[in-house]
């Protein structure tokens, strides 16, 4: 783990024999991912202009708002989050398992292959070969390639877990391994069964599984795993309870795969399947409360850090949004809510809070955390970082309120049997607010990128010389800390 | 758990639906009379409907228009018959296009609600037909013809022919006529000559994509009488 022993470089990819982390890959993945983040958010902003009748590219087929919308959702999922998560896995997994990833050559291949896949997706969607699978509009001709690259990537990341001889895996490893296995199955199911095998209602049941599992069994477990890893580091203390974290994990494994039908409530899908989806979704309460309680008890007494510890602020805001969005989910899947809010902007608000408010916030916390750790640099400007946070935070909060209100207006107007266009007219002020808050979020990410650019142009400082103003120094001999019965096997290192 | 979830909430509903509900729609045995101008035989029409479906997917129409009617929120009164699983068991529903959002109205009961010409005008510039619509314009479903529209400066279209379009020469004549007519009328009414400005614009007609997408839209719900919409003469209101 430490690079200061002066040992000979083991090979061209690792600094020394003891180096576990392929730092070049962590850097490359994260750098590419933040650029993708900006692209994805810009696409969303552009799409929102259509709703206020100010879309700038009228009459250009490949920039039609419908296609740009697919670009927005797919870029957030496959370009920004997947890329960032690959980078985080490159950092976390070797440290969690004490083993390197399978092969640095594979890592580089997957990085470039994934960039090519993202480029192919952009060309495919804008060029008019999108697939009719929500959140999987990646052209059908790309799907087999993605599956192959995904399998290679999964082997690269699962290998260190298998090689590791630890008896007790930290909870992050549980989440990561499960997510990698689930997602492979899910991707094949969604992209091949829905596309070629199951029509109509059955296809909808499978589609709902795909949409839900992409968030529930890929983004959520890897996001939570990364927080179980990062939070103790940022606060320099062990996680509150290892047992609780395992309840959260098994709760997720038990409830999330059964949730999916709640995306098509009141559709022709057999009603018993819809009920099953609703009951399992309410069970998600168990998962959310254990995870959030665990995080909050770990955060307890650390409020003084909020002002100066930048990653901590992002983690805390992300956790807050995670709680809000998951409580909301467990309620709005019920038939009572669904009657009004289904098909409305309420759901759009929810989706933004999940993917931006929670998982994007957490991933941004990681980027801030890794600047001193991996790039060995001081952050260029704390003020810009504060602006980045508050514009994103308030922008998202307002967007959420605005779209949720719009959802209620739309739902009740439809039920009142008013002409459809009346609900559109009534929504315009809310959509305008959405565009304005979106502008704030775009500006925030531009400041972020500028801040990062200036940081990387700045001088490199040796790791141990950095007095990190973010309070996120990592002890050289750090390992994830386990409390409870397992603590005997992995004693807490003296800090 | 993933396998269990797949079996219970994915595979089981699919098998249940596909075994219990025979495919009843999606057979193209004749060309509807509204499309006789465009298609000679049913096979051609069927091909266009499939092509329309692909365009519907390509342009992500399904991101803003759902395709199922729920038994709640007065939807049966507003749109028409509540959707049943059997309606979706055919090849045109592979992949399914249920949709999850309604920025625009649901489309599964749209067949015959508007004329083809309404749809063409709407695709060309939705706000001409539905003021305040937020639907994008789909200019690439249309191609320019060698004929022209004549507009007055206030935007009103000027008609002297049956189709309101003119060849280049006719347009020139028509504008001269309109201007002299304006002058004559002003003189008759004792006003000053208003000197109206006129302009021409190339006339557009739907290309194969435009015809295909409208064929598909008009197919949605066509398997039910009156497109599945509530009988306008029914007097029972809940």
């Amino acid at each position: 783990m430490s690079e200061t022993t002066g040992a000979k470089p083991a090979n061209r990819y690792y600094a020394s024999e003891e180096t576990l982390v392929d730092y070049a890959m962590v850097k490359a993945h994260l750098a590419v991912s933040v650029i993708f983040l900006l692209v994805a958010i810009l696409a969303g902003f552009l799409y929102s202009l259509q709703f206020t009748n100010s879309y700038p590219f009228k009459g250009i087929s490949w920039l039609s708002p419908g296609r740009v919308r697919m670009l927005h959702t797919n870029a957030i999922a496959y370009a920004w989050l997947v890329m960032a998560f690959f980078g985080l896995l490159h950092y976390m997994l070797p440290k969690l398992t004490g083993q390197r990833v399978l092969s640095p050559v594979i890592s580089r291949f997957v990085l470039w292959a994934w960039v090519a896949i993202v480029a192919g997706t952009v060309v495919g969607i804008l060029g008019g070969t999108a697939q009719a699978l929500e959140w999987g509009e990646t052209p059908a001709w790309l799907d087999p390639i993605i599956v192959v690259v995904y399998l290679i990537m999964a082997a690269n990341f699962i290998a260190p877990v298998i090689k590791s001889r630890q008896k007790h895996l930290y909870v992050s490893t549980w989440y990561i391994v499960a997510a990698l296995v689930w997602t492979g199955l899910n991707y094949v199911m969604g992209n091949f069964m829905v596309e070629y095998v199951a029509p109509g209602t059955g296809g909808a049941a499978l589609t709902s599984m795909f949409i839900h599992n992409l968030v529930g069994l890929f983004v959520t477990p890897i996001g939570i795993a990364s927080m179980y890893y990062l939070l103790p580091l940022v606060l320099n203390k062990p996680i509150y309870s290892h047992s609780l974290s395992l309840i959260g994990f098994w709760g997720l494994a038990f409830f999330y795969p059964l949730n999916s039908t709640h995306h098509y409530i009141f559709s022709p899908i057999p009603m018993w399947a819809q009920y099953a989806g609703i009951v399992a979704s309410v069970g998600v309460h168990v998962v959310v409360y254990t995870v959030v309680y665990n995080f909050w008890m770990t955060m307890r007494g650390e409020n003084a850090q909020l002002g100066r510890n930048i990653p901590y602020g992002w983690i805390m805001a992300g956790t807050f949004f995670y709680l809000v969005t998951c409580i909301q989910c467990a309620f709005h899947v019920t038939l009572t809510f669904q009657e009004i809010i289904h098909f409305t902007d309420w759901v759009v608000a929810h989706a933004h809070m999940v993917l931006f408010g929670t998982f994007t916030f957490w991933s941004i916390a990681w980027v801030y955390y890794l600047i001193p750790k991996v790039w060995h640099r001081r952050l260029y400007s704390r003020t810009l970082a504060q602006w980045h946070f508050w514009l994103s935070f308030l922008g998202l909060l307002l967007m959420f309120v605005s779209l949720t209100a719009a959802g209620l207006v739309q739902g009740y107007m439809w039920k009142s049997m008013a002409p459809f266009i009346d609900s559109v007219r009534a929504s315009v002020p809310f959509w305008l607010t959405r565009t304005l808050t979106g502008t704030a979020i775009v500006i925030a990410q531009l400041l972020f990128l500028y801040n990062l650019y200036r940081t990387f142009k700045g001088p490199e400082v040796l790791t141990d010389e950095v007095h990190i103003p973010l309070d996120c120094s990592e002890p050289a001999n750090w390992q994830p800390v386990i409390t409870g019965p397992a603590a005997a096997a992995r004693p807490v290192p003296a800090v | 758990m993933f396998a269990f979830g797949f079996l219970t909430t994915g595979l089981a509903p699919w098998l249940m639906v596909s075994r219990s509900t025979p495919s009843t729609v999606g057979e193209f045995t004749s060309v509807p009379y509204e499309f006789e101008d465009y298609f000679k035989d049913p096979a051609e029409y069927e091909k266009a409907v499939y092509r329309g479906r692909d365009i519907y997917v390509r342009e992500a129409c399904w991101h803003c228009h759902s395709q199922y009617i729920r038994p709640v929120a007065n939807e049966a009164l507003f749109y028409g018959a509540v959707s049943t699983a059997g309606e979706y068991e055919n090849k045109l529903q592979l992949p399914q296009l249920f949709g999850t959002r309604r920025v625009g109205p649901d489309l599964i009961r749209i067949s015959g609600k508007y004329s083809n010409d309404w749809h063409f005008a709407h695709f060309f510039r939705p706000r001409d037909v539905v003021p305040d619509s937020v639907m994008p314009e789909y200019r690439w479903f249309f191609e320019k013809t060698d004929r022209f529209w004549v507009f007055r400066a206030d935007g009103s279209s000027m008609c002297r022919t049956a189709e309101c379009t003119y060849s280049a020469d006719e347009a020139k004549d028509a504008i001269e006529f309109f201007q002299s007519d304006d002058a004559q009328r002003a003189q008759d009414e004792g006003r000053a000559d208003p000197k109206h400005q006129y302009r021409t614009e190339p006339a557009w007609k739907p290309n194969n994509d435009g015809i295909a997408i409208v064929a598909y839209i008009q197919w949605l719900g066509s398997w039910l009488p009156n497109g599945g919409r509530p009988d306008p003469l029914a007097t029972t209101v809940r």
Side-chain angles (χ1 to χ4, degrees), chain A residues 43-386:
Chain A
F45 171 75
L46 185 60
Y47 176 60
S48 81
L49 293 176
Q50 174 65 33
F51 290 78
T52 51
N53 196 33
S54 45
Y55 197 75
F57 305 116
K58 271 182 192 172
I60 303 176
S61 64
W62 59 276
L63 279 176
S64 138
R67 299 187 193 180
V68 170
R69 183 205 196 265
M70 297 192 278
L71 185 64
H72 172 54
T73 51
N74 279 272
I76 285 288
Y78 299 104
W80 151 238
L81 280 178
V82 167
M83 211 59 173
F85 284 171
F86 284 2
L88 301 186
L89 292 184
H90 269 293
Y91 186 80
M92 285 193 287
L93 268 179
K95 293 200 172 205
L96 283 166
T97 57
Q99 302 286 333
R100 291 174 178 173
V101 294
L102 187 58
S103 152
V105 181
I106 292 183
S107 304
R108 277 150 187 81
F109 166 74
V110 171
L111 170 69
W112 290 112
W114 206 265
V115 170
I117 286 168
V118 169
T121 308
V122 173
V123 172
I125 286 178
L126 294 184
T129 55
Q131 188 180 348
L133 173 68
E134 191 156 6
W135 257 45
E137 289 94 344
T138 319
W141 50 268
L142 258 177
D143 288 336
I145 303 173
I146 293 177
V147 171
V148 171
V149 173
Y150 182 87
L151 288 177
I152 296 173
M153 184 279 298
N156 200 21
F157 285 136
I158 290 178
V161 182
I162 294 171
K163 277 193 281 179
S164 134
R165 299 201 186 134
Q166 292 168 350
K167 276 187 180 167
H168 300 282
L169 295 178
Y170 188 56
V171 64
S172 296
T173 322
W174 282 101
Y175 274 116
I176 291 166
V177 172
L180 291 175
V181 174
W182 285 329
T183 306
L185 296 169
N186 188 41
Y187 197 87
V188 171
M189 179 199 73
N191 280 276
F192 299 107
M193 286 195 73
V194 176
E195 178 74 11
Y196 304 111
V197 187
T201 312
L206 293 167
T207 303
S208 64
M209 275 202 86
F210 175 78
I211 310 174
H212 190 80
N213 291 349
L214 204 61
V215 186
L217 299 183
F218 179 71
V219 176
T220 300
I222 295 195
I224 292 180
S226 75
M227 278 308 109
Y228 269 121
Y229 188 95
L230 185 62
L231 187 61
L233 277 184
V234 162
L235 294 179
N236 221 347
K237 67 200 273 199
I239 199 84
Y240 170 69
S241 162
H242 187 59
S243 317
L244 263 187
S245 69
L246 287 182
I247 293 176
F249 171 76
W250 288 108
L252 181 136
F254 186 77
F255 288 119
Y256 271 56
L258 299 170
N259 273 347
S260 55
T261 348
H262 69 209
H263 288 260
Y264 290 109
I265 299 289
F266 292 125
S267 73
I269 294 174
M271 208 58 207
W272 59 263
Q274 300 183 29
Y275 287 138
I278 294 170
V279 172
S281 306
V282 174
V284 165
H285 276 296
V286 176
V287 182
V288 177
Y289 295 147
T290 51
V291 169
V292 172
Y293 184 72
N294 213 351
F295 285 0
W296 278 2
M297 290 307 279
T298 312
M299 293 176 187
R300 200 176 175 193
E302 305 290 342
N303 287 351
Q305 294 214 33
L306 268 181
R308 56 201 163 92
N309 189 333
I310 289 176
Y312 185 43
W314 287 93
I315 296 175
M316 203 172 198
T319 308
F320 165 69
F321 285 138
Y322 181 66
L323 181 67
V324 172
T325 195
C326 288
I327 290 180
Q328 184 195 25
C329 166
F331 282 103
H332 78 202
V333 292
T334 56
L335 299 178
T336 322
F337 277 74
Q338 280 295 311
E339 179 180 348
I340 300 302
I341 60 110
H342 195 63
F343 295 127
T344 70
D345 270 326
W346 172 296
V347 187
V348 179
H350 175 72
H352 279 87
M353 192 172 260
V354 176
L355 288 162
F356 187 70
T358 304
F359 297 105
T360 300
F361 270 43
W362 283 350
S363 303
I364 288 175
W366 265 100
V367 175
Y368 277 119
Y369 170 75
L370 289 176
I371 287 170
K373 296 300 306 170
V374 170
W375 276 277
H376 303 163
R377 282 171 168 84
R378 283 197 189 86
L379 191 63
Y380 167 68
S381 162
R382 282 173 54 84
T383 317
L384 281 180
Q386 304 278 21

Side-chain angles (χ1 to χ4, degrees), chain B residues 76-92:
Chain B
L77 289 171
F78 189 84
Y79 292 108
V82 171
S83 292
T84 55
E87 291 182 72
Y88 299 90
E89 288 303 305
N90 58 74
K91 265 163 88 189
L92 269 158

Side-chain angles (χ1 to χ4, degrees), chain A residues 339-342 344 406-416, chain B residues 73:
Chain A
E339 179 180 348
I340 300 302
I341 60 110
H342 195 63
T344 70
L408 290 172
V409 169
Q410 291 156 0
Y412 280 108
M413 282 190 92
W414 294 342
K415 193 179 177 183
S416 79

Side-chain angles (χ1 to χ4, degrees), chain B residues 63-122:
Chain B
H63 275 292
C64 292
H65 294 280
S66 59
Q67 283 196 19
Y68 66 94
I69 307 299
R70 306 181 300 162
V72 290
N74 292 329
E75 286 185 16
L77 289 171
F78 189 84
Y79 292 108
V82 171
S83 292
T84 55
E87 291 182 72
Y88 299 90
E89 288 303 305
N90 58 74
K91 265 163 88 189
L92 269 158
Q93 299 289 351
L94 180 69
Q96 57 88 19
L97 294 168
F98 273 20
T100 50
R101 176 80 178 90
R102 280 181 190 159
V103 179
D106 190 279
L107 294 182
I108 199 68
R109 302 287 175 245
I110 200 78
S111 174
K113 185 171 183 181
Y114 304 105
S115 67
N116 291 349
D117 287 347
W118 187 95
H119 281 297
F120 289 135
H122 188 249

